[in-house]
Amino acid sequence: MNDKINLIINEASLFEAKTAEDAESFRLKFLSKKGILNQLFEDFKQLPNDQKKTAGVKLNELKEFLNTKYNDLKSNLSEQTDSASKNDLSLPGDPFTLGSRHPISLVRNEINEIFGKLGFTVSDGPEIEDDWHVFGALNFPPEHPARDMQDTFFIEKNPDILLRTHTSSVQVRVMEKTKPPIRMLMPGRVFRNEAISARSHCFFHQIEGLYIDKNVSFADLKQTLLFFAQEYFGSETKIRLRPSYFPFTEPSAEMDISCSCKGKGCNLCKYTGWLEILGCGMVDPNVLENNGIDSKVYSGFAFGMGIERIALLKYQIKDIRIYSENDVRFLKQFSSEI
Ligand code: PHE
């Protein structure tokens, strides 16, 4: 029986499986009910008792050997199919998801681009500011309500350090550093201590423009804003300016654009035919002087708008809170825009 077992081991060790069928024929030949191994166990029963001990040990070794060999054949096969499928260039690729720009960034970039055509460049400033840059230099009287706890977030109870409530603070920083002519755009995040609702949030984004040179007039302001409105909202767009008040501009105005309903009246414009989009005015001479610019030589205009509001009008969004919820179902809708 020993010799027989050695022969079988020899034969089995030379066996190679290229396909699953080959491995199965190995199993049928050596390991199945009617296979060689079982046959040997049958023969074993007939052996005289004195040979059973050594033959039994040998037979168990064979059983072990055949089972290991069979498992090896199978695992080699699955490795082969794995690497074959890795090299198959016709298989579909692993899907990956592309992110998309946030609508606020899209609108900001587009506005930057439009004013870029008029020679405006972009400037940045800190979100944590001091009273001087947010209020003082901008001609806010000490008792102005915007300084109130209700409007402004103060940091660590120090009334001098606060979160900027508008990007006009960057105007001040630009004027401090730069000699006129100045033609700057200042986009950024601002903070106000307001209850969060569909129409207002405790933080939002503004984009502000500042133009200072000799002989800058209100007519320049109006023409610049008309250019912007028609580039952004379409060449048919009309603008209108209503008198207003800001401490840092004199005279000041609010600008409306004509609604896309063309005066017929709709929900968006609340049946007025006009949509308010920004505040603007001629830079107050006090502000120029506060920042070391001679107001007898130079004049300028400034304007500021809320990016959320512009995006709201552009994409017909009804609730300002959706911008900061990071809901991919909302954000995905903008993935086709660059
Ligand atoms: N800073 C103003 C605001 O936050 C907007 C504005 C900017 C108005 C520039 C006039 C000129 O409401």
Side-chain angles (χ1 to χ4, degrees):
M1 183 166 240
N2 251 355
D3 292 345
K4 215 172 176 181
I5 289 177
N6 284 339
L7 276 176
I8 294 168
I9 289 182
N10 241 345
E11 189 189 342
S13 63
L14 294 173
F15 198 98
E16 275 180 35
K18 288 205 176 73
T19 62
E21 285 85 61
D22 292 346
E24 179 60 7
S25 68
F26 180 91
R27 190 189 68 81
L28 286 173
K29 181 166 184 181
F30 296 101
L31 293 164
S32 64
K33 255 190 175 168
K34 290 184 180 150
I36 290 173
L37 185 66
N38 260 357
Q39 191 52 56
L40 282 176
F41 273 106
E42 288 303 317
D43 296 350
F44 171 79
K45 288 179 193 160
Q46 316 300 328
L47 284 179
N49 275 348
D50 59 335
Q51 290 180 26
K52 270 193 174 153
K53 201 176 170 198
T54 44
V57 173
K58 196 77 186 162
L59 208 52
N60 276 327
E61 275 174 20
L62 175 67
K63 186 180 171 186
E64 178 88 21
F65 174 82
L66 290 174
N67 277 320
T68 321
K69 174 78 185 179
Y70 178 57
N71 288 334
D72 285 354
L73 289 176
K74 277 197 306 188
S75 64
N76 281 346
L77 268 182
S78 66
E79 263 170 39
Q80 275 170 25
T81 45
D82 267 8
S83 63
S85 60
K86 268 185 204 124
N87 293 331
D88 184 353
L89 299 181
S90 67
L91 286 175
D94 293 335
F96 59 93
T97 6
L98 266 188
S100 55
R101 264 194 221 289
H102 195 281
I104 297 295
S105 305
L106 290 172
V107 171
R108 183 202 55 208
N109 293 351
E110 207 177 329
I111 297 174
N112 283 350
E113 222 172 87
I114 293 171
F115 284 103
K117 291 180 189 169
L118 300 176
F120 282 79
T121 52
V122 173
S123 210
D124 203 2
E127 291 178 349
I128 300 174
E129 269 290 8
D130 51 30
D131 183 281
W132 172 252
H133 287 91
V134 178
F135 301 124
L138 288 161
N139 208 31
F140 278 78
E143 71 287 357
H144 195 283
R147 278 197 164 99
D148 260 13
M149 297 293 280
Q150 283 147 20
D151 263 314
T152 309
F153 285 114
F154 294 93
I155 299 202
E156 288 178 0
K157 296 199 175 70
N158 178 351
D160 193 39
I161 307 295
L162 44 95
L163 295 178
R164 65 180 179 196
T165 55
H166 54 181
T167 41
S168 307
S169 55
V170 190
Q171 279 191 38
V172 179
R173 294 202 172 265
V174 167
M175 285 188 270
E176 276 170 357
K177 286 195 306 247
T178 331
K179 293 237 164 313
I182 295 171
R183 225 181 294 177
M184 288 283 183
L185 272 188
M186 290 139 285
R189 188 162 49 164
V190 299
F191 306 83
R192 286 186 198 175
N193 195 357
E194 282 179 19
I196 298 172
S197 71
R199 315 196 89 230
S200 67
H201 211 293
C202 59
F203 74 85
F204 55 99
H205 298 77
Q206 286 188 333
I207 189 158
E208 193 146 325
L210 176 69
Y211 179 29
I212 300 175
D213 204 346
K214 290 174 183 156
N215 302 319
V216 176
S217 71
F218 201 90
D220 297 322
L221 169 62
K222 195 176 162 189
Q223 207 53 36
T224 304
L225 294 179
L226 177 66
F227 174 77
F228 161 69
Q230 295 191 334
E231 285 280 302
Y232 193 81
F233 293 102
S235 53
E236 308 276 275
T237 311
K238 295 188 179 69
I239 61 166
R240 86 175 175 188
L241 292 159
R242 287 177 288 107
S244 184
Y245 171 77
F246 298 105
F248 38 92
T249 47
E250 185 58 39
S252 304
E254 308 250 6
M255 187 177 97
D256 299 339
I257 54 162
S258 52
C259 182
S260 52
C261 71
K262 296 205 164 69
K264 278 192 223 111
C266 68
N267 263 343
L268 192 64
C269 63
K270 301 206 179 66
Y271 297 89
T272 62
W274 295 96
L275 301 162
E276 183 188 325
I277 62 158
L278 56 80
C280 59
M282 300 307 292
V283 182
D284 193 302
N286 285 345
V287 174
L288 294 176
E289 297 293 338
N290 279 345
N291 294 290
I293 294 173
D294 188 345
S295 62
K296 290 187 193 71
V297 181
Y298 292 104
S299 56
F301 64 70
F303 56 87
M305 60 192 116
I307 302 182
E308 275 80 353
R309 176 153 175 81
I310 305 280
L312 224 78
L313 297 176
K314 170 133 183 167
Y315 299 114
Q316 310 255 331
I317 293 164
K318 295 209 166 58
D319 192 326
I320 197 172
R321 289 170 289 198
I322 200 164
Y323 292 124
S324 47
E325 277 169 2
N326 277 342
D327 185 333
V328 282
R329 289 168 303 176
F330 169 68
L331 297 172
K332 261 190 180 167
Q333 296 174 59
F334 302 91
S335 52
S336 57
E337 310 208 22
I338 309 158

